[in-house]
């Protein structure tokens, strides 16, 4: 139906309001109310209308988050008020000395503080005039920074205009941290490694590098987030405490970290620090300490600042995630695609709460660039990676006995040839039957993002292969026929065997996206597997797709298309898929939007342990039917699925009157839906 200009204007305004509300629900409240597919549909409709009726375009429209042309350089921005850096503390004694100084300057016996996580990202400032985001800049030297407005607009957690449920200030300068979550950092580095691009050292560097791209479309492809924690100059609004600031900013649509604590004294702040130190490995983002701030802004004025640091705040840093050790040897590991990865064997050293004995060296080019040698003393770090990496050699400690490293000409596992293609940085074993490749392929297939076979780790895969029980992935599903042999494995036992076989049996039902990812196709990660599943909707359609058809998928270029096409043209891979299906693997295919049934748009929350589904399978099942999964229960939750030993979510669901389903009721519902 063709709309009149007036009808289009009203619909455009309605869509903008809906999309911004959904952004607020998702990023600020952490309570999304629609699926990603529904969100994308609204955004596409808005884009179409704005193209048809350009007179209604607006710089604050959600469609304008990407679209600025690339820049040749960043302009300089002077901050209205300096963005001060914080003094650091490295012990309880130093924090208590800080507390004593504050008490003396404020002439108080007790000071109330607010303790917040210290984020390891890039400090920025957002400027809003009459509620509209007009300027964004980096901290720079504290006095001046770089204009990165266009790049900041691509971050969906940053509102382009403030919400209107409060009086809008004439001017509001908001300060905070742009960061990248650890999982997104890992995926970004995986993609860069596959593409032969230099890797980012840690999430902070990845966030900074992404935000300082001259082309905003590149920034938009990176999953960046922002937490707000301070303000600069304000006109038309006044804050009296840090607690008030953190409670008020979300009402304007500005995201703050929900993990903070108002502390009556410095002892409570130190207790929060210790709690955060224990939790830091569980958080989805990097933190490198806790910031302790005087809560009352009047007391802050009395305490003042010195040089470039405020006297009323201090950053209590966590123990470093870097350490110094010696490279005893460099060995080579072989991955599922045949890729050879050099790994440093280190003298054991404590780092980030664990003892480190190995660190990745990525590839030969990286070793040559950093000039790392066997016998070197090196600086290592853990920053988002499970396996630490070598930052640099300590050249001043060399004795002359250190030995350079070169990649072997033969695979260290099977002895076959090793090649390096002209446009790649990696060396690869050419033998598709290499035992190392098979082991990694099985581990990948069993991983959480794929078949999610709980308990099938590296130790058991090696044991199964050494015993001849598993020679290819489909053999996993025949293990129940060889139960006695399985139980003979060292330290296996009847109970462990039963648990493993049950986990394998559960994995027989798998979503199309997870199955595609589990195949281990080169260049195809979890995100791209989902895109392929959404585009082709069945494995048969994907397997028969031409390179031209594959290129129609978003984020698929010629190299990736050729890799997918070649994988499915290889008869050995097709035979493996056939054997998996013969063994009982059921691939849950994607449902077209027009076929989505009664579950479309519904919200599910899972609690407790399910007998016949893994959590990943249950979530995949509802997503395949157009529903979404949330981690928390609210009045907008449609169903809570309660397994064995459910947690507090069940009590909250009952209190709110949310429908609670048993596992059997859930199974019936998804079959009908």
């Amino acid at each position: 139906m063709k709309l009149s200009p007036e009808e289009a204007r009203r619909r455009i305004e309605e869509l903008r309001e809906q999309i911004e509300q959904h952004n607020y629900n998702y990023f600020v409240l952490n309570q999304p109310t629609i699926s990603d597919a529904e969100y994308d549909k609204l955004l596409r409709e808005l884009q179409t209308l704005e193209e048809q009726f350009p007179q209604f375009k607006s710089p604050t429209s959600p469609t304008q988050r990407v679209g600025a042309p690339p820049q040749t350089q960043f302009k300089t921005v002077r901050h209205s008020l300096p963005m001060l850096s914080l003094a650091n503390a490295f012990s309880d004694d130093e924090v208590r000395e800080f507390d004593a100084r504050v008490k003396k300057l404020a002439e108080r016996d007790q000071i109330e503080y607010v303790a917040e996580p210290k984020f390891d990202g890039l400090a920025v400032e957002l400027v809003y005039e009459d509620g509209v985001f007009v300027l964004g800049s980096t901290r720079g030297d504290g006095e001046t920074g770089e204009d990165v407005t266009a790049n900041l607009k691509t971050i969906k957690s940053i509102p382009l205009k403030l919400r209107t449920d409060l009086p809008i200030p004439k001017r509001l300068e908001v300060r905070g941290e742009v960061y990248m979550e650890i999982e997104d950092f890992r995926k970004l580095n995986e993609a860069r490694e596959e593409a032969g691009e230099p890797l980012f050292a840690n999430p902070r560097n990845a966030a900074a590098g992404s935000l300082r791209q001259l082309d905003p479309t590149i920034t938009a492809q990176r999953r960046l987030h922002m937490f707000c924690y301070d303000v600069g100059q304000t006109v038309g609004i006044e804050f009296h405490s840090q607690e008030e600031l953190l409670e008020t900013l979300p009402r304007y649509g500005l995201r703050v970290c929900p993990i903070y604590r108002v502390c009556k004294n410095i002892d409570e702040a130190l207790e929060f620090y210790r709690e955060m130190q224990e939790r830091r490995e569980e958080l989805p983002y990097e933190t490198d300490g806790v910031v302790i701030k005087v809560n009352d802004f009047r007391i802050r004025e009395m305490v003042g600042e010195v040089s470039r640091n405020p006297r009323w705040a201090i950053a209590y840093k966590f123990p470093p995630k870097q350490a110094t050790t010696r490279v005893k040897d460099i060995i080579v590991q072989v991955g599922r695609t045949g890729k050879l990865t050099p790994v440093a064997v280190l003298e054991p050293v404590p780092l980030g709460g664990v003892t480190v004995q190995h660190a990745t060296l990525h590839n030969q080019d990286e070793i040559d660039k950093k000039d790392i040698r066997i016998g070197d003393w090196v600086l290592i770090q853990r920053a988002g990676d499970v396996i630490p990496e070598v930052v640099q050699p300590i050249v001043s400690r060399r004795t002359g006995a250190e030995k350079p490293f070169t990649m072997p000409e033969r695979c260290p596992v099977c002895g076959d040839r090793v090649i390096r293609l002209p446009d790649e940085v990696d060396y690869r074993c050419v033998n598709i039957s290499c035992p190392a490749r098979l082991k990694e392929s099985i581990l990948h297939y069993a991983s959480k993002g794929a078949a999610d076979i709980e308990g099938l780790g590296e130790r058991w895969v090696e044991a199964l292969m050494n015993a001849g029980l598993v020679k290819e992935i489909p053999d996993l599903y025949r293990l129940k026929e060889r139960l006695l042999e399985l139980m003979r494995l060292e330290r296996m036992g009847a109970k462990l065997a039963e648990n493993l076989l049950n986990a394998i049996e559960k994995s027989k039902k798998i979503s199309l996206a997870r199955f595609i990812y589990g195949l281990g196709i080169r260049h195809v990660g979890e995100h791209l597997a989902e895109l392929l599943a959404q585009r082709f909707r069945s494995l048969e359609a994907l397997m028969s797709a031409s390179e031209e058809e594959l290129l129609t998928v978003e984020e698929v270029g010629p190299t990736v298309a050729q890799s997918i096409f070649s994988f499915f043209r290889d008869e050995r891979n097709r035979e493996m898929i056939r054997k998996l299906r013969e063994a009982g693997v059921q691939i849950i295919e994607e449902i077209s939007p027009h076929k989505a049934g009664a579950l479309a748009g519904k919200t599910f929350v899972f609690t407790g342990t399910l007998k016949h589904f893994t959590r990943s399978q249950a979530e995949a099942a509802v997503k395949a039917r157009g529903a979404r999964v949330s981690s928390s229960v609210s009045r907008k939750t449609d169903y809570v699925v309660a397994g064995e030993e459910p947690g507090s979510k069940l009590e909250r669901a009952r209190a709110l009157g949310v429908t609670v389903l048993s596992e059997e009721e859930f199974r019936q519902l998804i079959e009908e839906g």
Side-chain angles (χ1 to χ4, degrees):
M1 181 181 71
K2 191 171 183 180
L3 300 179
S4 68
E6 180 57 25
E7 289 172 329
R9 183 190 63 78
R10 287 199 297 269
R11 180 57 179 161
I12 286 171
E13 290 179 355
E14 180 184 359
L15 286 167
R16 288 173 182 166
E17 186 175 337
Q18 286 181 20
I19 292 169
E20 291 298 348
Q21 180 64 44
H22 290 311
N23 283 339
Y24 177 74
N25 293 342
Y26 187 94
F27 293 107
V28 180
L29 300 183
N30 196 29
Q31 295 178 350
T33 53
I34 63 171
S35 67
D36 290 346
E38 290 174 299
Y39 179 92
D40 292 339
K41 185 178 178 182
L42 293 176
L43 191 60
R44 282 196 299 271
E45 182 184 350
L46 178 57
Q47 288 171 330
T48 301
L49 286 176
E50 288 184 345
E51 288 171 5
Q52 292 175 352
F53 299 89
Q55 65 268 38
F56 300 131
K57 284 189 176 182
S58 167
T60 62
S61 172
T63 61
Q64 300 305 300
R65 288 193 176 274
V66 188
Q71 305 174 73
T72 55
Q73 62 180 20
F74 293 113
K75 298 177 182 176
T76 299
V77 174
R78 188 167 190 84
H79 304 299
S80 302
L81 297 174
M83 292 183 69
L84 302 175
S85 57
L86 297 177
N88 293 325
F90 298 95
S91 68
D92 285 10
D93 288 343
E94 291 179 357
V95 173
R96 293 190 185 282
E97 289 171 7
F98 156 77
D99 177 52
R101 287 194 301 272
V102 171
K103 288 176 181 176
K104 182 178 180 180
L105 291 167
E107 299 180 352
R108 297 283 201 283
D109 294 330
Q110 203 66 273
I111 298 292
E112 185 175 74
Y113 295 100
V114 171
E116 310 167 26
K118 184 178 183 299
F119 310 107
D120 198 12
L122 186 69
V124 299
E125 181 177 71
L126 315 175
V127 178
Y128 289 87
E129 292 182 351
D130 296 320
V132 176
F133 177 42
V134 296
L135 179 65
S137 58
T138 60
R139 192 184 83 87
D141 62 5
E143 298 285 344
T144 60
E146 293 176 322
D147 184 344
V148 288
T149 308
N151 292 356
L152 287 168
K153 282 184 175 182
T154 70
I155 302 175
K156 290 183 179 179
S157 55
I158 296 177
L160 301 183
K161 61 180 179 180
L162 301 178
R163 293 172 58 80
T164 55
D165 58 341
L166 286 174
I168 296 296
K170 183 72 176 171
R171 184 178 179 89
L172 176 62
E173 297 177 355
V174 185
R175 291 162 178 187
E177 203 90 359
V178 169
Y179 67 94
M180 180 177 287
E181 292 193 347
I182 295 169
E183 180 63 15
D184 293 325
F185 162 72
R186 182 185 65 80
K187 290 179 180 178
L188 174 61
N189 260 359
E190 282 181 358
R192 291 177 70 85
E193 188 170 19
E194 288 287 0
E197 298 175 348
L199 303 185
F200 287 113
N202 50 53
R204 185 190 185 283
N205 287 1
S210 300
L211 191 61
R212 297 191 68 257
Q213 291 288 332
L214 292 171
D215 185 351
T217 59
I218 297 177
T219 307
Q221 295 168 13
R222 313 276 174 82
R223 290 178 61 85
L224 298 178
H225 305 268
M226 180 177 176
F227 280 135
C228 303
Y229 49 66
D230 197 6
V231 292
Q233 186 183 81
T234 61
V235 179
I237 187 172
E238 188 175 353
F239 298 101
H240 303 93
S241 69
Q242 183 70 10
E243 181 183 14
E244 180 190 6
L245 184 146
L246 294 175
E247 289 178 350
T248 304
L249 290 182
R251 297 182 65 186
Y252 284 108
L254 295 158
R255 184 168 175 256
V256 304
C257 179
I259 308 173
Y260 67 87
R261 183 175 300 169
V262 179
C263 306
K264 294 178 182 178
N265 51 49
I266 202 65
D267 290 328
E268 290 188 6
L270 290 171
E271 181 182 347
F272 178 81
Y273 170 86
R274 279 181 271 280
E275 289 177 14
M276 288 302 302
Q277 190 174 3
E278 290 180 5
R279 290 182 60 186
R280 66 185 298 202
E281 299 298 333
E282 304 170 5
L283 297 174
Y285 44 79
E286 287 282 315
T287 60
D288 58 353
V290 165
V291 178
I292 302 170
K293 306 175 182 176
V294 171
N295 189 21
D296 192 321
F297 284 7
R298 292 172 301 174
I299 295 178
R300 289 188 184 184
E301 290 181 10
M302 296 169 61
V303 173
E305 57 194 52
V306 55
S307 182
R308 304 176 71 83
N309 308 122
R311 285 195 177 105
W312 44 263
I314 197 165
Y316 190 2
K317 302 294 286 291
F318 291 141
K321 282 191 172 182
Q322 290 190 332
T324 301
T325 185
R326 195 175 67 86
V327 178
K328 294 162 57 179
D329 196 4
I330 296 177
I331 61 175
V332 175
Q333 295 180 343
V334 183
R336 59 184 170 81
T337 63
K339 174 186 167 186
L340 273 62
T341 301
V343 175
V345 180
L346 308 170
E347 290 185 351
V349 60
L351 178 61
V354 299
T355 299
V356 173
Q357 300 184 65
H358 298 90
T360 181
L361 296 170
H362 299 298
N363 54 58
Q364 183 71 56
D365 287 0
E366 193 74 4
I367 293 174
D368 294 342
K369 185 173 75 172
K370 293 180 178 178
D371 188 23
I372 298 166
R373 306 176 187 179
I374 298 171
D376 264 338
W377 283 90
V378 292
L379 181 68
I380 63 170
Q381 70 177 11
R382 291 181 69 218
D385 286 328
V386 176
I387 301 177
E389 66 174 356
V390 175
V391 179
Q392 63 186 39
I394 304 174
V395 178
S396 61
R397 298 188 67 172
R398 282 182 175 162
T399 64
E402 295 79 15
K403 295 183 291 185
F405 170 82
T406 55
M407 293 293 277
E409 296 179 357
R410 294 279 172 178
C411 173
V413 177
C414 70
D416 214 324
R417 288 185 306 115
V418 168
I419 63 169
R420 178 180 181 177
L421 298 177
D423 297 329
E424 295 189 356
V425 297
D426 297 317
Y427 290 78
R428 298 183 185 276
C429 169
V430 298
N431 179 13
I432 195 170
S433 301
C434 175
R437 294 184 64 173
L438 175 59
K439 185 187 85 169
E440 293 301 323
S441 295
I442 294 172
L443 286 169
H444 179 76
Y445 179 81
S447 66
K448 194 171 184 64
D452 192 15
I453 303 177
E454 188 175 351
L456 187 59
E458 185 172 1
R459 173 190 165 195
W460 290 121
V461 170
E462 286 184 351
L464 291 168
M465 289 179 62
N466 291 339
L469 291 172
V470 173
K471 297 179 180 178
E472 57 182 350
I473 293 172
D475 288 343
L476 293 172
Y477 297 100
R478 301 188 186 96
L479 285 174
K480 62 183 178 182
E481 302 165 9
R482 307 178 71 176
L483 178 59
L484 292 178
E485 293 173 85
L486 179 63
M487 289 173 59
R488 289 194 194 106
L489 295 179
E490 186 180 357
R491 299 179 68 182
M492 173 58 77
K495 186 61 178 176
L496 270 178
E498 181 186 359
N499 291 341
L500 179 59
L501 291 176
N502 286 340
I504 291 172
E505 189 67 22
K506 275 186 179 183
S507 75
K508 282 185 174 180
K509 288 183 179 179
I510 184 171
S511 72
L512 177 58
R514 285 176 170 271
F515 186 78
I516 294 169
Y517 174 63
L519 290 174
I521 305 169
R522 194 171 169 212
H523 301 306
V524 177
E526 290 182 64
H527 175 60
L528 185 52
E530 289 182 2
L531 295 180
L532 291 168
Q534 292 166 10
R535 166 65 177 81
F536 293 100
R537 304 202 176 277
S538 74
L539 185 61
E540 284 69 23
L542 176 60
M543 290 175 69
S544 60
S546 65
E547 289 189 57
E548 290 73 21
E549 289 175 303
L550 289 165
L551 285 168
T552 64
V553 179
E554 184 182 1
E555 299 183 28
V556 171
T559 302
V560 177
Q562 198 278 330
S563 174
I564 299 168
F565 181 79
S566 298
F567 181 90
F568 288 117
R569 291 302 172 278
D570 189 318
E571 190 54 42
R572 290 169 295 191
N573 295 329
R574 298 176 76 90
E575 177 68 7
M576 179 186 68
I577 292 169
R578 185 185 65 78
K579 288 181 179 179
L580 284 169
R581 282 181 151 161
E582 284 181 353
V585 173
Q586 300 174 42
I587 302 167
I588 304 169
E589 299 182 345
E590 291 287 320
I591 295 177
S592 300
H594 68 276
K595 293 183 181 177
L599 298 187
K602 301 294 185 182
T603 300
F604 283 76
V605 173
F606 293 90
T607 182
T609 304
L610 302 178
K611 288 183 178 179
H612 304 292
F613 298 86
T614 64
R615 180 64 62 86
S616 299
Q617 289 170 339
E619 292 180 355
V622 299
K623 289 177 181 177
R625 289 157 178 79
R628 58 173 296 276
V629 178
S630 177
S631 59
S632 58
V633 181
S634 70
R635 295 186 186 277
K636 295 180 180 179
T637 304
D638 295 290
Y639 299 104
V640 169
V641 181
E644 295 180 349
E645 299 182 8
S648 59
K649 294 175 184 176
L650 178 59
E651 297 175 9
R652 178 158 175 77
R654 287 172 174 163
L656 295 175
V658 174
T659 302
V660 177
L661 302 175
S662 66
E663 182 172 354
E664 179 58 25
E665 289 170 329
F666 168 67
R667 186 186 64 77
Q668 293 174 3
L669 184 66
I670 61 173
E671 287 178 359
E672 295 167 0

